Amino acid sequence: PVDEMQKMAELLGLRDECGEGTSGAPVLAGSCLADNRLNLDVYPDGCCRFLQLFQGRQREVVQVEFLRLSSNDHLLGTTLGILPHLKHLKSLVLKGGHARDEFGSCQHGSLTSLPPDVGNLRCLTHLDLSFNSLSTLPTCILHLPSLRVLLVSHNSLVALPEDFGCLSKLTFFSAMKNQLKDLPRSIGELAELQDLDLSENALEFLPEEVGNLHNCTELDLSGNCLLSIPDSLANMKSLRRLHLHSNLLVTVPASLASLPNLSRLDLRNNCLRAVPPEIQTSPFVHLRGNPLGETEPSLRADESNAGGLQRLFLASAEDSFTVTSEGCKVVLACGIHFYFPPGAASDPLRIYFRTLAPDPQWVKLRHHDVLLSRVLELQPHGVKFQQEVQIWMPYASPQTLHQREVVVRTFSGQSWSDLRTRVEQKRKSKKHMAHCRVLHFSWFLVVSRLVQNECKVPTEGTLLFSSVDPNIKVTFPPGVTEETRNVKLQVLPVSAEEIEEITADAACRASPLLCLSQDSLVDFLRPVRIQLPLPPGVTGINLDRSRLHLLHGDLEGQTWDDITSQVVLEFTHLYAVFEVTHFSWYWLWYTTKTYIGGIAKKVYERLRMYQVNFIALQRRKDPEQVLLQCVPKNKVDPVLKKLQDRYRGPEPSDMVEMFEGEQFFAAFERGISIDMDRPDCVDGRLSFIFYSHLKNMKEIYVTSPVDRKGQAVKGQVSFYRGAVPESIPEDASRRRKGPDSLWLATLPIKLPRLKPRWGENPGTLNGFSFPPLNLGNAETGYLTQANLLSIARRVGADWQTIGLNLGLTYQQIERIGYNNREDLDKQILDMLFSWAQQNSEDPDCVSKLISAMKESGRQDIADEVETIIELGRQKYRESIRRVGL
């Protein structure tokens, strides 16, 4: 057989396709092939490496039991032909999603089928074909006698084979995010199935045979088009969690309430107008987003009336919903609203959403822009709606920003543009909302910008003036252009007090800043006439022309040139008038100083800066939890007043100056360090981005290598700039202190002397003894016993709510409470470790823990778990690259 495979490798033409000869195979074998595992999906040329290994080390390759390859690899088709020869293979992962398109979305893999001989892999128990282009399930899968775990999520499957039930040993099956419209009856023959995920498909009904899945503990049918569910689901006596949210259900059988182990029944966002009392009174049932108690609308009612549309209320853990041709209204947990009018989508369409922290490398704010919201991403990108979809985005109210306007900004994949936006305020909550209309989905955020006036300039000319200062006018004479152009005008008012404070010269005066731009790179054919008001206190009567300077700045405000001698300046009693042929910044200055360009540059930069203070507070009940925040100086007192009941700490730092979107870092020093590695931690320092109207805040758990049993630890946290911004004003630079030129401020942090609480030995805590635990897997990151102990310290009185959301029954919660009465620590530990031991074999248990924390209102713990998992992923990837697995 080895000789046959050698010939096969030669026929494959590996030397040409991979760009290397067989001489490199031994080296690659030493770096990639270890024990019985080959994890090659982390390499962009993983299939090439596999082919080279197979060509040079066939005897070892055919012994491999665990193989991972990326289906985004262009050599995947060549590689598939070798797979049937790996007779010892137990786990095969051929996933896509390792490459991204121009919008940053994961690209599906190229896999559309599998070789028929893959069905001869009799040892294969785990098969993952997620994020591919499968339209039908390869028939060879049905011939895998040992298969226990099958994942085909994020494909294009429209149906499952009629004899799908022959996979008698299957315990886990996920086909989420496909296009399944129905299920074969044989699905009821999967006697060993424990976890079935069919969420976000197009299922319209379920076969009665689903009720024969007697060992199934979790069934996820959310995000489909189900109008009803069969009564036979009441036969699923092992069922613990049933997810039916975001369907079109109009009725549910009352028998569901009698399922003995059911701890969660999610019926949110359906069309239920009435629910059996047995279900409505059950504490584990979730019904929000249903028209309960409402009467059935008349058939003669106007279907176009928005009041009759389905309303969906999504929880914080949800990331998608379905829109049909009938339209709907959608409310996200973060306060974002959507209105899809009837006919906006011709076919049922699954919408995916997420809110992202703005990354300054990607979200490019213009000068004097202020960010007022997080970034909202809506998918699928580029899908064209038949009618405009309305979006309402809540934003931080810019109460201190005057003579500005709020707009929604969207990203096309190449550039940002501003949408026509209407600002509204909700009556009850008083929240400010930015309202826009779109025909396609991408990325959206809310910004405050300088008021923008614009017009189209035809060949016959026109007039444009500022709505902020109507005395600022731009006149376009006839013949100024051959083709119509779009021109924009913005004005930045500057008070005499600001000029005097920055320049330290009471005699200095300046006009408002005028910015002109156009959509053409060609200068105007005839001079454009501009009228600017004279600086405050200056009139045409008392004007000393030698002191008046007209400055021209580039669009980035980096250089300011005195062009007074290059233009003809005319004066009236209140205005200066001049003519130009190209557009940029224009600014009138009245001063006796020389080198006015340098002074204007300094003033311009200072107008973009914010005066801020840093806050470092510790939670009163848990001093190891530290809150760090960068606050504009006018908001410091209200913020401290709001936090003083729960936190305590030193006075805020001295005032420093920062730009909108500037990066800074926080470093714990003198015996205090961060409790865990975090993705936002760079060289031991926490990364922040300053946005003046967003919460620049993080809560961190800290620790100390110092033995705190005998003494407290007096440490500190220091703040540093990420990098010196270009052309920072000299006086701001001089105000920086300390040996580090990027240093901003330092505040004290004190960790008190430790009180014995959790015991010395992590294996035996307060009389409890727990076996070692590893939840999750190496790829996604483990949660160890030590991690669970760290989480237990944060839980507190919420343990019962968390336990129920984790899937523990009320009887279990009551028994845990009774057995450990009067000892909260033991109750928490018993609850967490009972759940962990029951779910240690569940591949999705960590994500369920995160969801349970979010549903229990403990976002802080959810963030901690996600941080641990992300760290585990990073270490796993690094170990693969280092060891060559």
Side-chain angles (χ1 to χ4, degrees), residues 12 70 76 81 195 198 208 219 224 229 232 300 405 418 476 527 575 612 619 656 714 773 794 811 831 849 870:
L12 292 174
S70 166
L76 179 68
D195 198 318
L198 298 169
E208 290 282 344
L219 175 59
N224 281 282
I229 54 175
S232 62
R300 299 179 179 179
E405 60 188 355
D418 294 344
F476 300 88
Y575 311 115
V612 301
R619 190 177 283 271
V656 298
K714 296 181 179 180
L773 284 171
R794 319 295 183 199
Q811 291 79 8
M831 179 275 293
L849 176 62
E870 179 59 29

Side-chain angles (χ1 to χ4, degrees), residues 265-284:
L265 174 57
D266 194 343
L267 295 169
R268 290 171 299 163
N269 297 331
N270 278 281
C271 302
L272 297 170
R273 300 181 183 279
V275 175
E278 302 95 316
I279 289 181
Q280 193 158 6
T281 56
S282 297
F284 53 77

Side-chain angles (χ1 to χ4, degrees), residues 170 276 598 861:
L170 205 62
I861 301 179

Side-chain angles (χ1 to χ4, degrees), residues 136 326 340 462 572 833 854 864:
T136 59
E326 297 177 357
F340 295 85
T462 188
T572 67
F833 280 85
K854 291 180 179 179
E864 180 178 348

Side-chain angles (χ1 to χ4, degrees), residues 497-625:
E497 292 76 17
E498 287 177 303
I499 296 293
E500 181 179 349
E501 179 185 354
I502 298 172
T503 62
D505 184 356
C508 247
R509 294 285 188 272
S511 72
L513 258 163
L514 171 64
C515 180
L516 294 170
S517 60
Q518 60 162 321
D519 60 358
S520 174
L521 299 176
V522 181
D523 287 348
F524 288 99
L525 302 179
R526 296 188 59 189
V528 176
R529 192 174 179 85
I530 298 175
Q531 174 181 293
L532 277 178
L534 291 169
V538 180
T539 67
I541 298 175
N542 64 9
L543 174 68
D544 180 353
R545 292 199 176 206
S546 66
R547 297 175 61 183
L548 191 72
H549 304 267
L550 176 62
L551 303 182
H552 164 268
D554 63 79
L555 288 176
E556 294 299 317
Q558 293 297 314
T559 59
W560 292 88
D561 299 320
D562 190 340
I563 61 171
T564 310
S565 60
Q566 302 172 27
V567 300
V568 177
L569 276 170
E570 302 174 10
F571 301 97
T572 67
H573 182 63
L574 298 174
Y575 311 115
V577 181
F578 56 94
E579 294 182 339
V580 296
T581 56
H582 63 276
F583 280 176
S584 188
W585 285 98
Y586 293 97
W587 206 357
L588 274 176
W589 275 72
Y590 194 73
T591 178
T592 58
K593 293 182 179 290
T594 55
Y595 306 111
I596 187 64
I599 298 174
K601 179 179 178 180
K602 181 179 78 170
V603 172
Y604 179 83
E605 293 287 357
R606 285 288 301 278
L607 290 173
R608 293 177 52 217
M609 299 181 79
Y610 292 86
Q611 296 180 334
V612 301
N613 300 89
F614 294 102
I615 293 174
L617 302 175
Q618 294 171 264
R619 190 177 283 271
R620 292 180 181 273
K621 293 183 178 180
D622 185 0
E624 293 181 0
Q625 185 175 352

Side-chain angles (χ1 to χ4, degrees), residues 129-417:
L129 305 177
S130 303
F131 272 104
N132 278 295
S133 305
L134 298 172
S135 57
T136 59
L137 194 71
T139 55
C140 61
I141 293 178
L142 303 179
H143 301 292
L144 296 170
S146 303
L147 194 63
R148 297 179 60 84
V149 176
L150 175 60
L151 299 96
V152 289
S153 57
H154 295 271
N155 276 278
S156 303
L157 299 175
V158 295
L160 296 176
E162 286 300 325
D163 52 347
F164 185 72
C166 68
L167 294 171
S168 58
K169 293 188 177 181
L170 205 62
T171 61
F172 182 95
F173 177 54
S174 174
M176 68 178 295
K177 294 188 179 179
N178 278 273
Q179 300 168 22
L180 298 174
K181 294 186 177 180
D182 53 34
L183 299 175
R185 291 185 175 183
S186 65
I187 197 167
E189 299 171 14
L190 301 175
E192 301 296 323
L193 194 64
Q194 298 174 14
D195 198 318
L196 176 59
D197 187 352
L198 298 169
S199 60
E200 300 182 33
N201 278 276
L203 295 174
E204 297 177 356
F205 67 92
L206 298 176
E208 290 282 344
E209 287 76 7
V210 170
N212 296 332
L213 301 174
H214 299 302
N215 286 312
C216 187
T217 60
E218 179 151 5
L219 175 59
D220 194 341
L221 297 165
S222 59
N224 281 282
C225 303
L226 297 171
L227 295 171
S228 63
I229 54 175
D231 293 339
S232 62
L233 261 63
N235 298 326
M236 301 173 68
K237 302 301 183 183
S238 300
L239 199 61
R240 298 166 62 88
R241 291 175 290 275
L242 176 56
H243 306 276
L244 292 165
H245 68 80
S246 305
N247 275 279
L248 304 174
L249 295 175
V250 295
T251 179
V252 289
S255 54
L256 291 180
S258 62
L259 287 170
N261 294 301
L262 196 63
S263 61
R264 183 176 183 86
L265 174 57
D266 194 343
L267 295 169
R268 290 171 299 163
N269 297 331
N270 278 281
C271 302
L272 297 170
R273 300 181 183 279
V275 175
E278 302 95 316
I279 289 181
Q280 193 158 6
T281 56
S282 297
F284 53 77
V285 177
H286 300 262
L287 289 165
R288 189 181 179 191
N290 284 283
L292 294 173
E294 297 181 13
T295 58
E296 189 75 23
S298 170
L299 295 176
R300 299 179 179 179
D302 183 4
E303 293 183 358
S304 66
N305 181 11
L309 292 181
Q310 181 189 15
R311 295 176 63 90
L312 304 179
F313 296 89
L314 273 61
S316 57
E318 297 179 77
D319 66 350
S320 63
F321 56 89
T322 299
V323 177
T324 67
S325 59
E326 297 177 357
C328 62
K329 292 181 177 180
V330 182
V331 181
L332 306 187
C334 59
I336 296 172
H337 293 220
F338 301 97
Y339 169 60
F340 295 85
S346 55
D347 298 315
L349 179 64
R350 195 71 185 171
I351 303 295
Y352 301 93
F353 62 88
R354 59 175 178 165
T355 58
L356 309 168
D359 183 345
Q361 299 298 322
W362 179 56
V363 177
K364 298 293 185 181
L365 294 178
R366 301 160 194 160
H367 286 195
H368 312 289
D369 281 350
V370 176
L371 187 64
L372 301 179
S373 75
R374 289 168 61 89
V375 179
L376 169 67
E377 182 185 8
L378 297 172
Q379 294 186 14
H381 298 145
V383 170
K384 187 80 181 264
F385 292 101
Q386 304 301 314
Q387 297 187 46
E388 288 185 328
V389 176
Q390 299 183 46
I391 305 175
W392 286 264
M393 293 183 64
Y395 64 89
S397 174
Q399 297 175 351
T400 58
L401 302 176
H402 304 294
Q403 297 174 314
R404 303 173 69 90
E405 60 188 355
V406 172
V407 295
V408 175
R409 188 165 291 171
T410 184
F411 187 63
S412 65
Q414 286 81 34
S415 61
W416 291 91
S417 59

